[in-house]
């Protein structure tokens, strides 16, 4: 049986993150580094040489040339957020599948234009949120979904109604909340705070919210099975730079069933990447969800029915550490998942998978809501799907 | 040189927590279990027998008898919160030093009556927040106070003004926040939710806020060097039982200099006891701050200038685990600290130490503010010292 041909990736732009994704494409079994285009041909050559592009790879002095190359299956788009809608819509019109860096757009209206272009051209769209593809993430989700280990997520009452997070004692029912806390911070260097695209209003106008808050909001959605919260209220401490770009912010999200999430992101605090999920029976802690401490293994802490001994001297049981090993780093798993979907469309006539753009859109909706709450003086913002 | 006589503890009431504190008094080198009083003499006898009271200990059938015993130096007061002001004021009037369970009162006005009674009678007052006395707590504070490991806490600018959490690049100054997150939750059993004093409006009307939120708010104050925040806004998800007692709640606290704290407490989620502190250079994580996993050692995780390697494949450096060993459990260290202060007053004519009641009062002020924000529809509440 002949091997399925590899899916050919073309990069437009040579952003820092593209270095990491080019390594991922090189590692991913089903993908191949095929082309790179930059506005400067020299820069594109230097990038290809430094990042493992094979000898025959195409190197172009423009983004358009990559889009016009009929051999390119996938366009990887790491350009500044303000350029996403223009280049993603154009790439879709050229029938290129699109791996799109996050935040996917400046707002959901722009992203809807991208989705429409992808749908009308039958191409796959996925964002570059790498941690979604780490096998640890599935393991953590298994834990959160386990009513025996994490808790009672759904409980029937009355006429077929279902309330998550509820239990009853005698005649009294408690409809209780579950909390999800997430954060992503790092201390940006002076050069970053002066010059990086992520602090420029004409490039990545969403600043820390788009760059880091994206992950926190995705974590909240992920833990909530992608059910959207009803209300978002920003924390009253956002910091902006002199030109109005967010350097730190946070928010509280409220679901209709009582679930709550809080998050915090900042360019001005030492690196943190935590998710804490509070269940009725169990607890999840992870401290490196965005980028694991080590590439070949990652861990999380799970606790179930934590208690104390009779004399209240120690915890029984104590949380346990769960380690997931992986031979392939999360970004290469992401690339391979994308290549697999594209191959299925290209060779098997499959339809594009809607799960990924749907998740991206929900995340962007929450980014928009946090921004709106900040801009509106920290008032509650209702989420409308 | 003659050994200093031990300080004699008299217990009024036989609450569950009193079992743990009687063990602590028995362990503490400078303290001795001297008397116990209950409204039921049988109950007092049973408590004394079961909790290591020495053969000669006094056992009384009333609280008053303990207060009237001239040999009692210290009254340990674990009664329901609604009874604190009555019994603490009476104990002070009998010149008894008071180790008072938390929450110290139903509100700060009541606690001010207790403080006034203690001051006018020259007796020491301290609350029963055990984790303050664990040597790990000092180690964590050392880390938070270390500008080289945790960050720049104070930075001078202009005419002698001092802004915490600020740094400057060229001509631009960032006045940035630090976040402190804390939580304390446990899944109360059905019997607790039906019958415990902590869910009864006439006994411990503050419910989870008084029982657990107290620790979270203390953690925030502790991390902020006991500087009070300016504004408190409750999360919009509090849960009450059928008689209006809080079963879960949370809030966001805002300091004038930009610091922010969030907290969450609940009787309806699996046990968690986390503090996360975000500094400019470093990060602190602890997961068992209220009660360490083990009695004889406790750990926390510290990270300084966390970064990633050149290829963005792993963290360099990774957080480090710091272990503190202790031969004496935190509650016995608490008792001994109290006995030491009392001995200093009794034998050396020292004045009562104001630090402890001051910290208690600040914590109670925040409890009151969270309650006021909840009762006022989650509006901001200004803190007035």
């Amino acid at each position: 049986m002949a091997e399925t041909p590899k899916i050919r990736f073309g990069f437009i732009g040579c952003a820092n993150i593209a270095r990491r994704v080019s390594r991922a494409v090189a590692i991913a079994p089903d993908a191949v580094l095929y082309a790179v285009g930059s506005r400067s041909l020299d820069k594109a050559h230097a990038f290809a040489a430094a990042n493992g592009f094979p000898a025959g790879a195409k190197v172009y002095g423009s983004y358009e040339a990559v889009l016009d190359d009929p051999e390119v299956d996938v366009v990887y788009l790491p350009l500044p957020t303000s350029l996403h809608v223009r280049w993603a819509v154009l790439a879709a019109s050229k029938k290129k599948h699109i791996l799109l860096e996050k935040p996917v757009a400046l707002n959901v209206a722009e992203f809807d234009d991208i989705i429409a272009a992808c749908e009308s051209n039958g191409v796959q769209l996925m964002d570059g949120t790498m941690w979604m593809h780490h096998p640890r993430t599935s393991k953590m989700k298994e834990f959160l979904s386990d009513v025996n280990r994490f808790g009672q997520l759904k409980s029937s009452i009355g006429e077929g109604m279902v309330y998550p997070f509820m239990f009853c004692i005698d005649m009294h029912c408690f409809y209780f909340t579950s909390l999800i806390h997430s954060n992503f911070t790092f201390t940006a260097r002076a050069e970053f705070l002066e010059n990086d695209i992520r602090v420029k209003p004409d490039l990545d106008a969403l600043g820390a919210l788009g760059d880091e808050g994206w992950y926190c909001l995705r974590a909240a959605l992920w833990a909530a099975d992608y059910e959207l919260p009803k209300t978002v209220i920003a924390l009253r401490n956002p910091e902006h730079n002199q030109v109005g770009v967010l350097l730190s912010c946070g928010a509280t999200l409220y679901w209709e069933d009582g679930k709550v999430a809080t998050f915090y992101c900042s360019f001005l605090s030492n690196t943190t990447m935590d998710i804490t999920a509070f269940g009725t029976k169990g607890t999840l802690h992870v401290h490196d969800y965005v980028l694991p401490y080590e590439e070949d293994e990652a861990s999380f802490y799970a606790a179930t029915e934590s208690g104390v001994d009779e004399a209240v001297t120690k915890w029984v049981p104590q949380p346990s550490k769960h380690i997931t090993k992986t031979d392939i780093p999360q970004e290469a798993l992401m690339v391979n998942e994308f290549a697999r979907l594209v191959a299925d469309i290209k060779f098997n006539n499959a339809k594009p998978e809607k799960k990924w753009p749907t998740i991206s859109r929900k995340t962007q909706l929450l980014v928009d809501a946090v921004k709106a709450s900040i801009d509106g003086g920290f008032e509650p913002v209702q989420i409308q799907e």
Side-chain angles (χ1 to χ4, degrees), chain A residues 127-144:
Chain A
D127 73 49
T129 310
M130 298 170 175
W131 71 272
M132 304 301 298
H133 304 272
H134 197 289
R136 170 179 65 176
T137 304
S138 315
K139 290 287 175 193
M140 293 194 294
K141 191 71 202 178
E142 276 172 28
F143 174 70
L144 294 184

Side-chain angles (χ1 to χ4, degrees), chain A residues 99-145:
Chain A
L99 181 59
L100 184 62
E101 264 312 325
K102 33 60 51 187
V104 290
L106 289 176
N107 53 60
V108 82
E110 281 192 2
F111 189 58
D112 281 343
D113 288 347
I114 296 174
I115 291 179
C118 289
E119 287 189 350
S120 66
N121 288 287
V123 298
Q124 182 68 48
L125 175 62
M126 191 168 88
D127 73 49
T129 310
M130 298 170 175
W131 71 272
M132 304 301 298
H133 304 272
H134 197 289
R136 170 179 65 176
T137 304
S138 315
K139 290 287 175 193
M140 293 194 294
K141 191 71 202 178
E142 276 172 28
F143 174 70
L144 294 184
S145 305

Side-chain angles (χ1 to χ4, degrees), chain A residues 37-60:
Chain A
S38 167
R39 285 171 301 174
S40 146
L41 186 60
D42 286 350
K43 222 171 142 186
H45 271 295
F47 184 87
N51 290 287
F53 279 64
K58 302 290 178 65
V59 178
Y60 295 115

